[in-house]
Amino acid sequence: MSTATTAASASDEDRLRRHSGVSALIRRPELASLLGLALVFALFMFVAPAFRSLDAVATILYASSTLGIVALAVGLLMIGDEFDLSSGVAVTTAALAATMLNYNLHLNVWVGAVIALGISLAIGALNGVLVTRTGIPSFLITLAAFLMLQGLNLAVTKLVTGQVATPSISNMAGFDSARAVFASSFSIGGVSIRITVVWWLLFVAIASFVLFRTTFGNWIFAVGGNQEAARASGVPVARVKIILFMTVAFAAWFVGMHTLFAFDSIQAGQGVGNEFLYIIAAVIGGCSMNGGRGTAIGTAIGALIFGLTNQGIVYAGWNPDWFKFFLGAMLLFAVFTNTAFARYTDSR
């Protein structure tokens, strides 16, 4: 073979390798969210000088983490082609259960927290069992769960405490150690960072490993992509979905414990509407509404966009009513972009 032919062959291989790299990048579900993140970041860096401080970064990360922990679990469930509309009030249910058990039974707060975890996991398992056994869409099952939990939160709290807010448990045994785990902060270079940021990053790392390095992760994508084909190939579809619903329940419990130990008292009406924020963050992060597509990192980026927008509007001194507009615009941008990238991928 001549030198010229060899050189031409090598050049073709380089072009093919570069083309493959570009195609792989475009196929990444979180690409649209990265573009959105860059746009939002650039906007507020320009219009809000206070946005550029390290303290502002810490505040943004905190706002993103409390949303992002549950959004991560919701995103995994969406990859499995299901939804959970009860996740917002489930956070409040977990916190209310823990604080009322502790206060009324005079328990160590860790005992109440563990019992609340059991209650949360039972709710998640029940959602999963009802969806898989009845064939009723998860949208309807979890909408019913949302309404029932919302009613229970208010009715039981009023029945037990005589008001819609729970009493303080800060003087009870175990409170300080629980607060250190769920709601403490630490300093880096004089900037206070909330512990939820560390937990959020850890959960994202674990979820990424599970999705792309384990058999269970393959099952999640298989179930979300084609449930019947997955079942025919031996994937335990019902078990996968129940575990995903229980994962959402665990995330809701975790954020509920943060809320309880950060603020001590819980309002029974909290959490309503947050379920949509979790879904929006997951969709902005590249999770498909039809299942089978998404990443843990993408949901983290979606949550970070939420934090940037939420705090950026405050730092810019704008009317906070603009927040919903920006969130809706980002959702629309993400849906259009994800759809375009999916069509490109399908055509390859």
Side-chain angles (χ1 to χ4, degrees), residues 216 219-220 223 235-245:
F216 186 76
W219 287 352
I220 295 173
V223 168
V235 175
V237 173
R239 190 198 315 166
V240 169
K241 292 193 175 189
I242 291 171
I243 291 174
L244 290 175
F245 275 106

Side-chain angles (χ1 to χ4, degrees), residues 22-36 75 79 211-212 221 280-289 291-302 305 330 333-342 344-345:
V22 172
S23 297
L25 177 62
I26 291 175
R27 290 190 183 98
R28 296 295 298 179
E30 64 269 30
L31 179 58
S33 58
L34 277 173
L35 295 175
I79 295 172
L211 277 177
F212 297 106
F221 283 111
I280 289 170
V283 173
I284 290 176
C287 291
S288 172
M289 299 288 288
R293 177 181 170 87
T295 65
I297 293 175
T299 63
I301 295 172
I305 289 174
M330 284 306 308
F333 172 79
V335 170
F336 283 146
T337 310
N338 289 339
T339 301
F341 287 162
Y344 172 85
T345 301

Side-chain angles (χ1 to χ4, degrees), residues 157-173:
T157 303
K158 288 181 180 178
L159 179 65
V160 174
T161 68
Q163 53 188 357
V164 295
T166 59
S168 172
I169 60 169
S170 59
N171 61 343
M172 299 187 72

Side-chain angles (χ1 to χ4, degrees), residues 96 99 163-169 175 259-267 270:
L96 288 172
T99 188
Q163 53 188 357
V164 295
T166 59
S168 172
I169 60 169
F175 184 89
T259 305
L260 171 60
F261 294 114
F263 304 106
D264 192 17
S265 180
I266 301 297
Q267 295 286 331
Q270 289 178 218

